[in-house]
Amino acid sequence: MPAAPRPSAAPPTAVALLSGGLDSATAAALAIEAGYRVIGLSFDYGQRHRRELQAANAVAAALALAEHHTIAVNLAAWGGSALTDASIPVPGDGVVAGTIPSTYVPGRNTVFIAIGLSLAEARGAERLVLGVNAVDYSGYPDCRPDYLEAFQTLAELASRAGREGHGTRLWAPLVSWSKTEIVCQAVRLGVPIDATWSCYNGGDQACGVCDSCRIRDAALLEAGVIAAQPSA
């Protein structure tokens, strides 16, 4: 009697922080393409609207993620950002190089990555996938390569898995990409771009005015995903 075939090895696991935006969806899709079993992690942090959480649920379903968790962390309790404090206006004049915009949320990525690493260690995940980008949002201190490098050192020191030599690696594949490159990769990977939400404001439709909308729309236009609007 022939021997039964040996079961194939289970795919490695990755945890992907999933905001509902285009960048995090593309990063998660890249992890899937790389052969990872991807667990999505989203945060209800007191943001101005629910649209991005709805988008995160839609993206998780479209990408058929193995799991998707949403954790409440109320950063709006102390405000300090246009994204968590309605009294601070959302900027719409474009990103100014060398400045940190009012849409920066104090400590947000530090909190999110720490919780992501907790889930990753509990699940034995090899990677924590981040959709951070240092090109379009260079003013954000927690989207820069030196920040990620420092956090990797902390992750290795702060976890049992890290101390034992098999800790989770932070993976930010989009960190140096332009927004147009991200859009092109999203199209190639079949990311449901229409299901993602990048606008800082809520509502039935994206405002088209905030910095995030401006950057996204310009990239979609440059990549040929949307057509230029005729002049009035």
Side-chain angles (χ1 to χ4, degrees):
M1 182 177 180
R6 297 177 62 183
S8 58
T13 297
V15 171
L17 301 192
L18 200 65
S19 69
L22 178 60
D23 294 357
S24 67
T26 303
L30 285 167
I32 293 171
E33 181 183 53
Y36 286 88
R37 171 183 176 270
V38 177
I39 298 171
L41 178 60
S42 302
F43 294 93
D44 181 353
Y45 64 92
Q47 53 267 63
R48 295 177 74 104
H49 56 76
R50 311 296 296 179
R51 285 299 303 270
E52 63 182 32
L53 290 174
Q54 295 167 3
N57 288 332
V59 168
L63 296 180
L65 300 189
E67 302 174 33
H68 181 218
H69 303 272
T70 299
I71 302 297
V73 183
N74 188 20
L75 300 182
W78 42 79
S81 167
L83 299 190
T84 57
D85 185 342
S87 69
I88 301 175
V90 173
D93 297 328
V95 176
V96 179
T99 65
I100 298 176
S102 63
T103 50
Y104 163 69
V105 180
R108 179 176 62 177
N109 280 354
T110 299
V111 172
F112 290 1
I113 293 172
I115 296 175
L117 286 168
S118 174
L119 175 58
E121 186 172 20
R123 290 289 191 271
E126 294 184 3
R127 286 187 178 183
L128 179 62
V129 185
L130 311 172
V132 299
N133 180 264
V135 177
D136 293 328
Y137 298 100
S138 58
Y140 287 3
D142 53 4
C143 289
R144 305 183 193 186
D146 57 353
Y147 166 82
L148 297 174
E149 291 167 7
F151 213 124
Q152 183 65 64
T153 299
L154 174 62
E156 291 166 4
L157 295 174
S159 65
R160 182 175 66 183
R163 292 287 187 172
E164 293 175 348
H166 53 86
T168 303
R169 303 296 301 177
L170 305 186
W171 188 47
L174 318 181
V175 69
S176 62
W177 292 8
S178 70
K179 183 66 80 172
T180 301
E181 288 177 297
I182 295 171
V183 169
C184 290
Q185 286 297 309
V187 171
R188 182 186 68 81
L189 293 163
V191 171
I193 295 175
D194 289 343
T196 64
W197 184 268
S198 301
C199 180
Y200 291 145
N201 295 292
D204 295 329
Q205 294 183 331
C207 71
V209 176
C210 71
D211 293 343
S212 185
C213 279
R214 289 171 183 264
I215 292 170
R216 175 187 170 111
D217 290 349
L220 291 172
L221 179 62
E222 186 173 353
V225 176
I226 60 175
Q229 297 297 314
S231 301

